[in-house]
Every structure is written in structure tokens, then in C-alpha cells.
Amino acid sequence: EDTNLFPNGRFMVVVLDCDDADLANKLNYLRNSWTPNSSDNCSTPTVLQDTDQQLAGPFTCPEIERYTATWTSQDGCGNITTGTERFRLRIEIHDLNAPAFDPADNPPMDTSIVADAGDCSLDLTASNLLEVNAEDCTNIDYSYTISGELNTSGSGNNANLVYPVGTSEITYTAEDECGQTAQYVINLTVIDDQLPVINDCAASLDSVGTDLF
């Protein structure tokens, strides 16, 4: 009687990239359709999946998710795998890539805007004009630093502040849960296109008829 029903090994680890566009299909196949090969010297064994679960973690990056499954094999003579003789599969989902900024989905890297009427600045405090977004398979923390005409820093993906006339460089940083980072830079130029106005002119001249020039 041959009791080694999984002769090619009883444990396998599969690593999948969380940014894989086909991740859901691959994970579904491994958990619901795939079965390990089993053999026997007397008959063709029957392989049945007896456990399938997603583990709660926490995990150490780059691993962010883990699934496990086990299969039992039984031959025609009644021999059945038990305990560590069962086939065990571990599926690890890894975050292998930093966040990605798509320029097509974000503000232009060089942006020029006319200053507010009557001011030498541009008030964007109620605007999402400078809001950026990156793609990643984990949560993202955003921060920004600004240099040039305006010098400051903050957290978030929208540097909605008051910008003086001139050019300010806004550098956004996106950091995922595994500490991988990416940056997106916007050069914002605030333009003063308002003509100067002469004020406080004398209402009249005492030297009427006098050649002033």
C-alpha cells in the first residue's frame, strides 16, 4: 500500500502581486478551481479541499494578505492523508510597487492662473484645483512641501492655500502602507495681469495756464 498520496510535495507557496490587473481571477482560480496532483500505486485517489481561509494578519511587508487552503487525498483502499500529510497551499499577496501618479488624472505639472481681482495673490482655500491622487493597492498617506514664492508644508493631497504672485513649486509625496513613496510636482505660477491705477490726483491746479513741463 502506498500512503504517500502527494509524492511531489505537501506544501506550496504562491506569491501574487497586489497590483496585478488579473489578481482577482488568479486568486479565485487558486482558491476555488485548482487542485494538487495526487497519485497512488493501487488506484486513482480522490482529492478534496477541506479548508480555505483568509488569515487576519498582521503581516510583514511586502506581504499584505495571506490565504491558506488544505486538501485531503483518499485512495481506493481507504488510505487517507491526515495532519501534515495533507497538501497545504499558502497564497501571499505582496505590495511590490510604489504608488503611481498618472499625469492624465492629476493637475498639469505646469499651471498658470491669474491672481484674484484686486489682489496680488490667488486664494485656493475653497478649491480642489490642486488636488492629486495616486494609485496603489494599499492605503496612501499624502504630504506636500512648497518652495518658491510660498514656503510651507502640510499633510493631505490638496495644497489649497493662498498663493502670492510668482511661481511656487508644490511637491506631493504619496506613501503606501509598506513605506514605498512616489512624488508629483506642480509648478504653480500666479500671474498679475492687473494694470496699475493712479490715485490721489489733485482735483484742480492752482497754476492754471502754467507750463508744467
Side-chain angles (χ1 to χ4, degrees), residues 84-106:
T84 58
E85 292 182 348
R86 295 181 301 171
F87 186 91
R88 292 166 294 153
L89 171 67
R90 185 170 80 205
I91 306 169
E92 297 181 0
I93 311 298
H94 287 198
D95 181 5
L96 302 174
N97 301 296
F101 287 99
D102 186 347
D105 297 329
N106 286 287

Side-chain angles (χ1 to χ4, degrees), residues 4 16 40 46 77 82 91 124 126 134 158 161 171 176 189 195-196:
N4 184 16
L16 300 177
D40 182 66
T46 300
C77 295
T82 60
I91 306 169
L124 295 179
N158 188 3
L161 305 171
T171 301
D176 66 18
T189 300
L195 298 175

Side-chain angles (χ1 to χ4, degrees), residues 20-121:
D20 187 341
D22 201 36
L23 174 62
N25 290 331
K26 292 179 179 178
L27 189 59
N28 180 66
Y29 170 74
L30 288 169
R31 297 184 68 188
N32 300 306
S33 300
W34 182 84
T35 57
N37 294 320
S38 180
S39 62
D40 182 66
N41 60 354
C42 294
S43 61
T44 300
T46 300
V47 179
L48 297 173
Q49 185 177 28
D50 51 9
T51 66
D52 174 53
Q53 60 182 331
Q54 179 178 5
L55 303 186
F59 307 106
T60 301
C61 283
E63 184 181 5
I64 58 174
E65 291 181 53
R66 181 183 297 179
Y67 301 83
T68 61
T70 59
W71 286 264
T72 297
S73 182
Q74 181 174 359
D75 65 15
C77 295
N79 296 305
I80 187 171
T81 56
T82 60
T84 58
E85 292 182 348
R86 295 181 301 171
F87 186 91
R88 292 166 294 153
L89 171 67
R90 185 170 80 205
I91 306 169
E92 297 181 0
I93 311 298
H94 287 198
D95 181 5
L96 302 174
N97 301 296
F101 287 99
D102 186 347
D105 297 329
N106 286 287
M109 294 182 177
D110 291 291
T111 300
S112 296
I113 306 175
V114 173
D116 295 332
D119 285 318
C120 290
S121 61

Side-chain angles (χ1 to χ4, degrees), residues 8-20:
N8 295 325
R10 301 188 181 96
F11 183 70
M12 183 172 71
V13 177
V14 177
V15 175
L16 300 177
D17 184 352
C18 70
D19 287 317
D20 187 341

Side-chain angles (χ1 to χ4, degrees), residues 193-210:
D193 71 344
Q194 302 173 67
L195 298 175
V197 177
I198 301 176
N199 297 318
D200 300 324
C201 290
S204 62
L205 295 174
D206 294 333
S207 53
V208 175
T210 302

